[in-house]
Amino acid sequence: MTKSDTATYLSSPLGTVELRGSEAGLSAVSFLNEPVAATAPAAVPDCLREAHRQVRAYFGRELHTFDLRYDVARGTDFQRQVWAALLGVGYGRTASYLDLARQLGNPGAVRAVGAANRQNPLGLVWPCHRIIGANGTLTGYAGGLWRKKWLLAFEQPVAQAELF
């Protein structure tokens, strides 16, 4: 966290969500394993107000795609390519690590895609929970597999409704 970074916290069905950022944009989204008091809406720093609103709207089933300004200085070129590819996996959909590796033109990079996902600083917002094993299994999620399972189930009714 830099001097200009600030944090806010909100309650979710999956525990406390921590949002970090500055005037430059959102820099981190994390699920905390220990409870932290949620920030009162009036006390949310201006630079995080929109991210706070959008995460609440996501959990309220009012938002399917995040539209925020980001400030993520870390990550290799490859990690940044993987994180950008995550944005192409829509709400209620999944893709495999192999799918992403192929999309990036390197089908042999499945493990590297997984490693990049583990380093995703904006989990939930950059939806790495939507990435699954090639055989459909749930593998890896920095927030815990139980959260990944919950998020995929949470998004599923919308995807099913779109089929009809």
Side-chain angles (χ1 to χ4, degrees):
M1 181 167 99
T2 65
K3 280 185 177 180
S4 60
D5 275 353
T6 189
T8 190
Y9 304 91
L10 61 120
S11 296
S12 82
L14 299 173
T16 304
V17 178
E18 178 186 61
L19 305 174
R20 290 196 166 276
S22 67
E23 292 301 327
L26 186 65
S27 60
V29 177
S30 306
F31 288 106
L32 303 182
N33 290 322
E34 299 296 323
V36 173
T39 307
V44 173
D46 287 343
C47 64
L48 293 172
R49 193 168 304 282
E50 184 59 16
H52 193 269
R53 184 195 71 73
Q54 287 189 30
V55 171
R56 280 192 341 267
Y58 169 85
F59 283 114
R61 293 188 184 274
E62 301 164 3
L63 180 89
H64 298 161
T65 304
F66 293 93
D67 183 18
L68 297 165
R69 191 173 66 237
Y70 305 111
D71 182 30
V72 178
R74 64 182 178 204
T76 65
D77 287 343
F78 181 79
Q79 287 172 327
R80 289 173 176 277
Q81 289 174 351
V82 171
W83 300 338
L86 294 173
L87 298 174
V89 183
Y91 187 95
R93 306 279 185 233
T94 59
S96 71
Y97 296 96
L98 178 58
D99 293 335
L100 286 186
R102 285 180 176 152
Q103 181 180 335
L104 297 173
N106 191 350
V110 173
R111 288 182 187 216
V113 167
N117 269 354
R118 280 190 297 279
Q119 298 300 314
N120 176 4
L122 294 169
L124 183 65
V125 174
W126 290 350
C128 55
H129 62 276
R130 297 178 188 153
I131 309 305
I132 60 174
N135 62 358
T137 59
L138 300 187
T139 58
Y141 186 60
L145 280 179
W146 70 274
R147 285 188 177 112
K148 182 174 190 164
K149 183 177 181 178
W150 189 96
L151 288 165
L152 291 173
F154 176 73
E155 293 182 357
Q156 208 54 75
V158 170
Q160 290 174 355
E162 291 174 357
L163 296 176
F164 302 102

